[in-house]
């Protein structure tokens, strides 16, 4: 039996814009929290008992990029349950149209997101219609004609990519410091005249940079710092402090000295 290659998933994810390929669906494949909620789906089933199975395909063709699509778990269930409404040609059209609307982007997230998607898929493998015995993880193997493998994990969280800003101790610490300063200023805003709730900073950063900040490359550090410093300065407490000549935050070099990184 063939297997899905990580290169195919990287290509799928890069073309997905991190969104389900079902029309009008904007559900993310990877949540900003790092939780993998999207799924790898076969357009034509990987096994004989699956939806839209094509006996003329080889195992390699079944598991190739051309026969795979990324969907949210809801739409994956729908297209595989309502086969008459969602034939292979229509799902292939979904994939093509979604790719045309998306901007292909390779980022530090791509490799790790692809690995987690593939890990999730492999942990939920179902082997059907086997003519002999299936042996898994020998020695101490399980032998059976049909084996259902189901992961007990509720969610998967991918690790921080190499070269990400959060992987650099000083940068990670300073960004956390600025986020904490923003939250502190918002908490002090007793009349709550500001338009920002202090916990909204994470969503604001995601909208600005298109990703969870920890996953951004280290080269984005200065942009993140400028963004956060402006947020702090434009908060109600920040504006009051600036008018009175008080500093709203210390500089990056000062921060490094404080944490003993210099």
């Amino acid at each position: 039996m063939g297997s899905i290659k990580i290169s195919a998933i990287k290509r799928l994810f890069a073309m997905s814009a991190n969104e389900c390929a079902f029309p009008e669906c904007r559900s993310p494949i990877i949540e900003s929290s790092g939780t993998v909620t999207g799924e790898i789906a076969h357009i034509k089933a990987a096994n004989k008992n699956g939806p839209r199975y094509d006996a003329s395909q080889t195992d390699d063709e079944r598991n190739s990029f051309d026969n795979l699509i990324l969907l949210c778990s809801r739409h994956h269930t729908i297209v595989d349950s309502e086969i008459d409404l969602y034939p292979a040609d229509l799902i292939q059209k979904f994939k093509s149209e979604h790719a045309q609307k998306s901007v292909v982007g390779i980022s530090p997230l791509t490799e790790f997101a692809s690995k987690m998607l593939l890990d999730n898929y492999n942990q939920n493998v179902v082997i059907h219609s086997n003519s002999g015995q299936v042996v898994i993880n020998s020695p101490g193997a399980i032998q059976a004609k049909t084996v259902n493998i189901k992961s007990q994990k509720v969610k998967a969280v991918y690790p921080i990519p190499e070269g990400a800003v959060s992987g650099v101790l000083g940068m990670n610490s300073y960004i956390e410091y600025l986020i904490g300063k923003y939250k502190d200023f918002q908490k002090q805003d007793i009349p709550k005249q500001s338009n920002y709730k202090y916990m909204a900073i994470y969503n604001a950063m995601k909208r600005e940079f298109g990703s969870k900040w920890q996953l951004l490359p280290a080269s984005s550090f200065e942009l993140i710092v400028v963004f956060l410093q402006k947020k702090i300065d434009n908060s109600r407490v920040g504006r009051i402090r600036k008018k009175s000549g008080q500093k709203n935050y210390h500089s990056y070099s000062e921060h490094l000295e404080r944490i003993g990184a210099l």
Side-chain angles (χ1 to χ4, degrees):
M1 177 177 288
S3 60
I4 297 175
K5 295 181 179 179
I6 188 68
S7 57
I9 306 308
K10 287 181 182 180
R11 185 178 170 192
L12 278 175
F13 186 79
M15 295 176 67
S16 73
N18 194 28
E19 288 183 353
C20 170
F22 195 91
E24 306 303 323
C25 182
R26 295 294 179 266
S27 296
I29 301 300
I30 307 289
E31 301 289 336
S32 59
S33 63
T35 302
V36 180
T37 52
E39 296 178 355
I40 301 169
H42 284 79
I43 296 173
K44 296 179 180 179
N47 60 74
K48 184 181 292 188
N49 294 333
R52 298 172 299 275
Y53 179 75
D54 183 351
S56 67
Q57 283 187 318
T58 65
D59 285 339
D60 286 341
E61 288 173 338
R62 293 187 182 101
N63 290 295
S64 69
F65 167 83
D66 291 337
N67 194 46
L68 300 174
I69 186 171
L70 295 184
L71 299 169
C72 65
S73 57
R74 174 174 176 263
H75 283 120
H76 188 180
T77 300
I78 289 173
V79 300
D80 281 1
S81 300
E82 303 174 22
I83 305 171
D84 292 339
L85 292 178
Y86 300 102
D89 289 348
L90 180 59
I91 299 176
Q92 190 65 254
K93 182 180 178 183
F94 291 168
K95 178 181 176 179
S96 299
E97 292 180 347
H98 183 67
Q100 290 172 8
K101 295 177 183 177
S102 304
V103 177
V104 177
I106 303 295
S107 71
L109 172 59
T110 303
E111 182 171 355
F112 288 87
S114 301
K115 184 178 184 301
M116 295 309 298
L117 282 163
L118 192 54
D119 286 348
N120 280 2
Y121 173 83
N122 289 333
Q123 288 167 354
N124 290 278
V125 174
V126 178
I127 303 174
H128 291 289
S129 302
N130 184 63
S131 59
Q133 295 291 333
V134 179
V135 180
I136 298 176
N137 291 337
S138 181
I142 300 170
Q143 295 191 10
K145 291 186 181 297
T146 299
V147 177
N148 295 276
I149 305 170
K150 204 69 175 174
S151 170
Q152 297 302 312
K153 293 169 65 178
V154 176
K155 65 179 182 178
V157 179
Y158 50 83
I160 298 301
E162 183 178 353
V165 67
S166 55
V168 181
L169 177 62
M171 292 181 179
N172 182 81
S173 177
Y174 190 57
I175 291 172
E176 292 282 12
Y177 159 74
L178 291 176
I179 291 173
K181 183 66 67 173
Y182 176 80
K183 289 182 178 181
D184 182 55
F185 279 16
Q186 293 297 74
K187 288 178 182 178
Q188 293 178 47
D189 188 9
I190 298 175
K192 294 297 177 186
Q193 295 178 10
S194 171
N195 291 326
Y196 300 101
K197 295 182 179 179
Y198 72 90
M199 286 303 293
I201 188 64
Y202 297 107
N203 289 332
M205 293 175 73
K206 182 184 175 186
R207 287 194 300 270
E208 179 71 15
F209 300 105
S211 173
K212 190 177 180 183
W213 72 263
Q214 290 93 334
L215 301 172
L216 295 170
S219 58
S220 300
F221 174 68
E222 291 186 8
L223 293 175
I224 299 171
V225 168
V226 169
F227 176 81
L228 287 170
Q229 289 176 345
K230 285 183 178 179
K231 286 288 186 184
I232 294 169
D233 290 338
N234 289 333
S235 67
R236 182 171 178 272
V237 173
R239 293 196 302 271
I240 292 172
R241 288 174 59 89
K242 285 188 71 175
K243 284 183 179 180
S244 63
Q246 299 181 68
K247 288 179 63 175
N248 286 332
Y249 40 78
H250 52 252
S251 68
Y252 180 48
S253 60
E254 290 171 333
H255 185 77
L256 292 179
E257 290 179 1
R258 294 189 183 203
I259 65 174
L262 285 181

